[in-house]
Every structure is written in structure tokens, then in C-alpha cells.
Amino acid sequence: MIHLYFDSKTGNVQRFIDKVVQITGWQASKIQKDMIVEESGHLVTFTTNFGKIPALTEEFLTQNSNRLFSVTSSGNRNWGRNFAVAADKASAMYDIPLAFKFELSGTMEDINQFIEIIKNQYYDSKRGSKKLDIA
């Protein structure tokens, strides 16, 4: 079973996750303060303040990065080079492969592409491979 952990402020990531879960049946858990994960999985978050990792996501990463196979972020293309940059920053800071970036709550094409990436691109639990870095 694939596990997704997500942070959503405006509901965009929540809508994206809801569609992914509806299609796949994967498990999804919204990040909570002081959350410790028992099942390894994938993180989906958002980018805030024109290029920052949300505080709750950062706390989650500090406590759980060793249990994450990949990171994905939503963003707004109006932010230019800062589009969904939270994923880039989390990937670099915590050595987690970058899986995908999508705008706002994503299109059906984005959702299907994300599902295919998660199903087919992460190869092991060691995170030794950067094969996910295709975003």
C-alpha cells in the first residue's frame, strides 16, 4: 500500500490528494503537528510566501524525512522561478528525491502523471537512487 502525507492550506493540495486517493485507493494522511509516521511514504505539500516550505511541512520533514521516498509540491506559475519551489528546497535540504510539481490543485493530466511516477519511478526504500528527479 502506498502512503501519502500531505499539507494543504488553501485546499489545493487536499483536492489533488482526494482525486489521487479516489483513483488509486492509496492511503493519505494530513500532516499534523508533532506527527511521526510509522509507514514510509511520499510527501505532497505546497509552496508558500513566494518560495518557502510551509512551517508545518518543515517540522514534519525534520521528524520524518528518513521515512519519505519522494517530495511533490503545488505552486502557482505566476511565481516564475519560485513555482512549487518548496519541493526543490525539501529535496535539497533533506536528500529526498523530487517527484513532481503541479499548479494549484492540478489537472487530471497532472494527477495521472503523479500516479504513474509514484507507481513506476520509485524503486526501493533506500532512497539511494535519484530516479524520481524528473519534475
Side-chain angles (χ1 to χ4, degrees), residues 2 17-18 34 39 45 117 120:
I2 293 178
I17 290 293
D18 289 347
D34 299 321
E39 296 288 334
T45 190
I117 288 168
N120 299 315

Side-chain angles (χ1 to χ4, degrees), residues 116-124 129 131-132 134:
E116 287 304 309
I117 288 168
I118 298 305
K119 281 183 3 184
N120 299 315
Q121 296 291 325
Y122 92 88
Y123 295 93
D124 59 39
S129 167
K131 292 180 180 178
L132 273 172
I134 62 171

Side-chain angles (χ1 to χ4, degrees), residues 6 14 19 30-31 37 49 59-60 62 71 74 76 79-80 90 93 95 97 102-103 107 114 118 122 124 127-128 135:
F6 70 96
Q14 176 79 60
K19 291 174 193 167
K30 187 167 184 175
I31 295 172
V37 302
N49 293 332
E59 177 186 306
F60 178 81
T62 300
V71 61
S74 72
N76 189 317
W79 294 358
M93 290 170 58
D95 193 32
F102 61 95
E103 187 169 27
T107 63
F114 172 78
I118 298 305
Y122 92 88
D124 59 39
R127 282 195 348 214

Side-chain angles (χ1 to χ4, degrees), residues 40-41 65-69 122-129:
S40 295
S65 63
N66 62 327
R67 305 285 293 185
L68 299 174
F69 296 124
Y122 92 88
Y123 295 93
D124 59 39
S125 61
K126 296 178 191 138
R127 282 195 348 214
S129 167

Side-chain angles (χ1 to χ4, degrees), residues 14-31:
Q14 176 79 60
R15 285 187 290 281
F16 181 86
I17 290 293
D18 289 347
K19 291 174 193 167
V20 169
V21 168
Q22 182 180 23
I23 292 167
T24 63
W26 295 344
Q27 289 188 329
S29 300
K30 187 167 184 175
I31 295 172

Side-chain angles (χ1 to χ4, degrees), residues 66-109:
N66 62 327
R67 305 285 293 185
L68 299 174
F69 296 124
S70 73
V71 61
T72 292
S73 181
S74 72
N76 189 317
R77 292 197 188 276
N78 290 341
W79 294 358
R81 65 182 179 88
N82 287 328
F83 166 68
V85 76
D88 298 297
K89 290 181 177 181
S91 176
M93 290 170 58
Y94 296 94
D95 193 32
I96 303 168
L98 170 63
F100 193 65
K101 295 179 179 183
F102 61 95
E103 187 169 27
L104 303 174
S105 60
T107 63
M108 274 314 294
E109 184 178 333

